[in-house]
Amino acid sequence: MIALGVLAAVLVAAAGIGILVRRNEGRVRDSAPAVVVPESGRSALLSEAGVIAGRPTVLHFSADWCGPCAAVRRVVAAAVAELSTAAAPPLDLEVDIDANPALARELNVLSLPTTFLLDATGQERFRIAGVPKAPDLRRSLAELAGSGRSE
């Protein structure tokens, strides 16, 4: 009888943890202000990846073997297309983590898919682990692109 009680408690705890993890997956999170490290090489790595000064950028890491990365491509492409007429239309960049391990290491990418929203100066403003939730992504991108719309 005690074993069944312990088993039930473990199952309830595991279900609770699973719900919390799933609830936070794909949420757009504000990034803490980056600590400026002299000559970190971040700006050079971002430039090599295609980040252009003066344009907000959606930088998403993917790999051929990553299943959810295809969903990220669709969600990001739709959000960027909606803001193509904004004052500063966002740039959509997909980076293969296997081809660019240095940039992934610099940005502390620990899992795939991981998406970054960079402002026009190239500073990380938002970070998303998992497939982004489309309304949150559109709202955050509209803020960076200088669009009056929020969705």
Side-chain angles (χ1 to χ4, degrees):
M1 190 65 168
I2 292 175
L4 288 177
V6 171
L7 179 61
V10 168
L11 289 176
V12 168
I17 291 170
I19 290 169
L20 287 175
V21 168
R22 294 290 290 172
R23 191 188 84 181
N24 289 326
E25 186 176 285
R27 281 209 171 148
V28 176
R29 296 178 295 162
D30 286 330
S31 294
V35 177
V36 178
V37 179
E39 298 304 315
S40 69
R42 179 178 283 203
S43 59
L45 289 170
L46 288 172
S47 293
E48 287 175 20
V51 175
I52 300 171
R55 287 190 64 188
T57 304
V58 181
L59 181 71
H60 48 109
F61 284 86
S62 66
D64 292 336
W65 45 265
C66 172
C69 293
V72 172
R73 276 184 216 106
R74 288 189 299 273
V75 171
V76 169
V80 168
E82 286 181 17
L83 293 168
S84 62
T85 60
L91 184 62
D92 177 8
L93 293 176
E94 182 174 1
V95 177
D96 186 336
I97 196 167
D98 296 324
N100 280 314
L103 181 57
R105 195 171 27 259
E106 178 68 29
L107 294 174
N108 200 25
V109 175
L110 300 176
S111 64
L112 289 181
T114 298
T115 304
F116 296 91
L117 302 183
L118 308 174
D119 64 15
T121 64
Q123 295 298 311
E124 178 183 329
R125 293 283 303 275
F126 303 101
R127 177 185 289 243
I128 307 159
V131 178
K133 292 180 177 17
D136 292 342
L137 181 63
R138 282 193 304 269
R139 191 171 21 262
S140 300
L141 271 178
E143 177 184 323
L144 294 179
S147 170
R149 300 182 330 194
S150 64
E151 283 199 46

